[in-house]
């Protein structure tokens, strides 16, 4: 099955299994190229201003870029370099890691969920579980030789950053600083190392179609040279252009539920291009499987009834993976009547 990987060969034409129906194509000419994107400087000494900026971005866009996030530039560069090196490994070496089973905690795969989908996406990806590290790192790819050390160092940094952001997001909702971190339990952490090869016909397909993230918070390391991430704002797709040394933060479905719908899990997609391959590394903070998730008590009442019922993350995640990626928002299935 590893011959399904698209990163092992050059492609002169787009295979028919990747061509979207006319109505579902990305319409790249209609994308807003120069919209202003919220940027939050985490080094801002004025805590109230920082919290306010985070809250405003979560309300208006559901995502923002962060500067001065504390992850060393050298580490970020190493992460990108070793990820690129991984996808340049010989085909036979990558074939050993291939799986299309979404339940596998370490897998090299392609598209999104090839067992279910009818049209494929122009993406190969390495999926890693990252917490607790000592539990999962022994199963990570052994090549390149520095892969495990660099990626595990980055995972620790990202986790700490995610918890700092939870604090600001909690405060922006008028909750205790530790609220989100506590209520989501002992959190899992996953990573997707995404590789989008050069595509002969980018107008006809996606790297990933429009979707929201099922987890709580996503921290995205973007390719600094090649844009491809787009987010939906007021019915229009906006290009997110990489800012030097910034990370992109997006609100996932679980924070939309916890905030009782005040903060929106952002619809986003990845498009591809014909000139250059693109790499992105998404880190996902995920609630503990068995904690009960629902709107914070402080945010309901006084004319604001609960928008979502309580559920466990295990229930949510199972529902998410049983659907196609670009179906209606999975949270709609958990609305109160």
């Amino acid at each position: 099955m590893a011959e399904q990987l698209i990163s092992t060969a050059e492609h002169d034409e787009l295979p028919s299994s990747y061509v979207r129906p006319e109505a579902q194509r990305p319409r790249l000419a209609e994308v807003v190229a120069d919209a202003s994107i919220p940027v939050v400087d985490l080094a801002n000494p004025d805590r109230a201003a920082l919290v306010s900026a985070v809250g405003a971005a979560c309300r208006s866009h559901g995502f923002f870029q962060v500067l001065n996030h504390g992850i060393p530039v050298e580490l970020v560069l190493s992460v990108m370099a070793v990820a690129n090196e991984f996808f340049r490994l010989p085909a036979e070496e990558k074939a050993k890691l291939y799986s299309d089973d979404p339940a596998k905690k370490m897998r090299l795969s392609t598209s999104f969920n090839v067992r279910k989908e009818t049209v494929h996406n122009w993406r190969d990806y390495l999926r890693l579980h990252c917490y607790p590290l000592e539990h999962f790192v022994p199963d990570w790819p052994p090549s390149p030789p520095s892969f495990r050390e660099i990626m595990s160092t980055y995972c620790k940094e990202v986790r700490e950053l995610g918890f700092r952001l939870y604090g600001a997001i909690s405060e922006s909702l008028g909750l205790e600083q530790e609220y989100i971190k506590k209520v989501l339990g002992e959190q899992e952490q996953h990573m997707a190392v995404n590789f989008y090869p050069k595509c002969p016909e980018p107008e006809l397909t996606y790297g990933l179609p429009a979707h929201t993230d099922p987890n709580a918070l996503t921290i995205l390391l973007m390719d600094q040279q090649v844009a491809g991430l787009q987010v939906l704002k007021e019915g229009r797709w906006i290009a997110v252009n990489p800012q030097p040394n910034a990370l992109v933060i997006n609100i996932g479905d679980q924070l939309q539920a916890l905030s009782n719908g005040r903060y929106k899990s952002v619809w986003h997609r990845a498009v591809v291009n014909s000139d250059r391959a693109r790499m992105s590394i998404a880190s996902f903070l995920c609630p503990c499987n068995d904690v009960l998730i629902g709107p914070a008590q402080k945010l309901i009442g006084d004319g604001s009834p609960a928008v979502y019922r309580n559920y466990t993350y295990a229930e949510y995640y199972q529902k998410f993976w049983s659907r196609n990626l670009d179906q209606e928002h999975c949270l709609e299935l958990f609305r109160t009547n």
Side-chain angles (χ1 to χ4, degrees):
M1 294 295 282
E3 61 274 8
Q4 289 187 278
L5 291 172
I6 52 174
S7 57
T8 51
E10 291 276 318
H11 301 270
D12 296 324
E13 53 186 56
L14 190 68
S16 60
S17 60
Y18 290 86
V19 176
R20 293 265 158 189
E22 186 82 42
Q24 294 176 15
R25 291 175 188 172
R27 299 198 179 106
L28 298 175
E30 296 174 18
V31 172
V32 181
D34 53 359
S36 69
I37 305 289
V39 177
V40 177
D41 182 352
L42 294 184
N44 186 344
D46 183 342
R47 178 72 182 175
L50 190 156
V51 166
S52 172
V54 167
C58 292
R59 266 192 310 277
S60 65
H61 287 71
F63 85 105
F64 50 97
Q65 298 199 54
V66 290
L67 298 172
N68 295 312
H69 44 70
I71 302 180
V73 175
E74 308 73 39
L75 176 59
V76 167
L77 293 173
S78 300
V79 165
M80 279 307 224
V82 82
N84 273 297
E85 218 181 314
F86 171 81
F87 278 99
R88 286 198 297 268
L89 289 172
E92 58 275 13
E93 194 146 344
K94 288 195 284 194
K96 295 175 199 162
L97 304 170
Y98 183 85
S99 171
D100 61 10
D101 177 3
K104 283 199 76 170
K105 298 194 186 306
M106 194 286 294
R107 67 187 187 279
L108 175 62
S109 199
T110 192
S111 190
F112 175 69
N113 189 353
V114 285
R115 292 182 177 185
K116 278 193 64 67
E117 64 203 17
T118 48
V119 183
H120 298 323
N121 304 296
W122 199 252
R123 167 184 88 137
D124 284 350
Y125 65 97
L126 177 66
R127 186 83 184 197
L128 303 173
H129 277 227
C130 313
Y131 185 84
L133 277 166
E134 61 275 12
H135 192 80
F136 294 113
V137 170
D139 295 325
W140 286 7
S143 296
S146 58
F147 183 89
R148 291 176 177 176
E149 186 186 345
I150 290 171
M151 286 303 193
S152 56
T153 303
Y154 179 70
C155 286
K156 288 178 205 161
E157 293 275 358
V158 160
R159 192 175 182 85
E160 285 309 307
L161 172 62
F163 290 161
R164 280 169 57 208
L165 290 166
Y166 278 164
I169 294 167
S170 291
E171 286 180 64
S172 74
L173 286 164
L175 304 168
E176 292 168 21
Q177 189 174 341
E178 293 291 305
Y179 180 84
I180 292 173
K181 186 183 174 190
K182 274 186 192 159
V183 84
L184 296 181
E186 185 74 2
Q187 286 173 72
E188 291 197 8
Q189 184 178 344
H190 308 165
M191 177 190 277
V193 184
N194 300 307
F195 183 73
Y196 305 97
K198 283 195 298 189
C199 178
E201 296 178 276
E203 286 280 357
L204 304 183
T205 194
Y206 290 102
L208 275 176
H211 64 285
T212 64
D213 287 347
N215 51 298
L217 193 73
T218 301
I219 298 174
L220 183 73
L221 172 55
M222 288 172 71
D223 196 313
Q224 289 289 303
Q225 315 304 321
V226 193
L229 173 66
Q230 299 177 350
V231 300
L232 192 62
K233 175 88 166 80
E234 293 162 358
R236 300 192 70 185
W237 287 102
I238 295 173
V240 181
N241 299 312
Q243 281 224 15
N245 304 323
L247 293 169
V248 175
I249 311 300
N250 68 272
I251 298 296
D253 296 352
Q254 307 317 312
L255 290 189
Q256 179 167 330
L258 280 181
S259 72
N260 204 31
R262 293 187 191 187
Y263 292 171
K264 296 290 184 274
S265 179
V266 67
W267 283 92
H268 55 290
R269 66 185 190 179
V271 297
V272 289
N273 72 77
S274 54
D275 303 323
R276 302 181 69 167
R278 185 172 82 91
M279 177 77 72
S280 75
I281 298 169
S283 297
F284 308 102
L285 284 180
C286 312
C288 178
N289 273 328
D290 55 6
V291 296
L292 210 55
I293 294 168
Q297 280 299 313
K298 203 170 173 182
L299 303 180
I300 55 181
D302 293 338
S304 298
V307 178
Y308 305 105
R309 68 171 175 84
N310 290 347
Y311 55 85
T312 64
Y313 188 58
E315 182 189 357
Y316 193 90
Y317 204 62
Q318 189 272 327
K319 191 81 80 180
F320 182 86
W321 275 96
S322 68
R323 305 152 61 258
N324 281 333
L325 186 60
D326 50 359
Q327 274 178 267
E328 68 163 355
H329 201 310
C330 190
L331 258 184
E332 291 300 311
L333 305 173
F334 294 85
R335 274 188 177 272
T336 50
N337 294 329

